[in-house]
């Protein structure tokens, strides 16, 4: 329901905007019925998020093909409506997500693809991690976060590790 504090009891992204009041009205004996209109607009607080890519252990063109990293994203607003999409970025770059994510939405970003590794390098998938707003790294192929009630943008950093993989070989010659 509606309340004086919030236009929606279930979705905090909806807030009252600045009201407008028509007037002034002059009431006279001849015209004792004045009319004033008060308008209380409802506005939605929205924010955004971005996904940056960090690769540790090697560089594009040497350790891996200089190509795109791909991500899917899904956000569910406090009212239960879900939107989703895809993002693409490169190592050392950032991709901007949607600019109209309702405040209080729960979002998930998942890494779905990365460029091929170049011998002898291999992606160390067990060390894939994410950081949200500069916080602690969370190991995994996806991360979940909630958008801020003020609409402050969320920054997600996706981290991959790549390392050279070599083997020791001992050759014994028999004659």
């Amino acid at each position: 329901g509606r309340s004086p504090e919030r236009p929606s009891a279930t979705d905090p992204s909806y807030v009252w905007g600045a009201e407008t009041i028509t007037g002034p009205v002059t009431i006279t004996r001849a015209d004792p019925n004045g009319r004033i209109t008060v308008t209380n607009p409802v506005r939605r607080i929205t924010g955004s998020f971005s996904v940056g890519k960090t690769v540790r252990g090697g560089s594009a063109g040497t350790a891996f093909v200089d190509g795109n990293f791909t991500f899917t994203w899904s956000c569910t607003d406090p009212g239960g409506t879900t939107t989703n999409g895809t993002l693409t970025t490169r190592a050392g770059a950032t991709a901007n997500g949607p600019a109209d994510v309702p405040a209080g939405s729960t979002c998930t970003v998942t890494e779905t693809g990365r460029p091929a590794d170049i011998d002898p390098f291999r992606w160390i998938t067990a060390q894939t991690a994410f950081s949200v707003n500069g916080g602690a790294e969370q190991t995994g192929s996806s991360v979940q976060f909630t958008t801020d009630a003020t609409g402050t943008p969320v920054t997600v950093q996706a981290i991959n590790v790549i390392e050279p993989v070599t083997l020791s070989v001992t050759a014994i010659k028999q004659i």
Side-chain angles (χ1 to χ4, degrees), residues 45-49 73 96-102 151:
I45 298 173
T46 60
S48 62
F49 67 89
W73 62 267
N96 291 321
D100 59 353
V101 179

Side-chain angles (χ1 to χ4, degrees), residues 52-60 62-65 69 71 91-92 111 113-118 120-130 137-141 157-165:
K53 173 48 74 178
T54 298
V55 175
R56 295 181 182 144
S59 57
T62 303
F64 57 94
V65 174
F69 293 82
F71 301 86
E111 185 174 69
R114 61 184 161 265
D117 47 35
I118 298 173
F121 288 88
R122 296 292 178 264
W123 293 109
I124 311 300
T125 57
Q127 293 182 30
T128 298
F130 286 86
E137 291 180 13
Q138 304 167 42
T139 303
S141 62
Q157 193 66 33
I159 302 128
N160 292 104
V161 176
I162 195 163
E163 295 177 351
V165 177

Side-chain angles (χ1 to χ4, degrees), residues 36-114:
I36 295 176
T37 301
V38 178
T39 304
N40 290 329
V42 175
R43 68 180 191 89
R44 194 165 207 190
I45 298 173
T46 60
S48 62
F49 67 89
S50 61
V51 177
K53 173 48 74 178
T54 298
V55 175
R56 295 181 182 144
S59 57
T62 303
F64 57 94
V65 174
D66 189 9
N68 291 325
F69 293 82
T70 56
F71 301 86
T72 59
W73 62 267
S74 177
C75 292
T76 302
D77 70 24
T81 301
T82 299
T83 56
N84 50 58
T86 59
L87 294 172
T88 301
T89 192
R90 296 172 91 76
T94 299
N96 291 321
D100 59 353
V101 179
S105 294
T106 300
C107 300
T108 301
V109 172
T110 303
E111 185 174 69
T112 55
R114 61 184 161 265

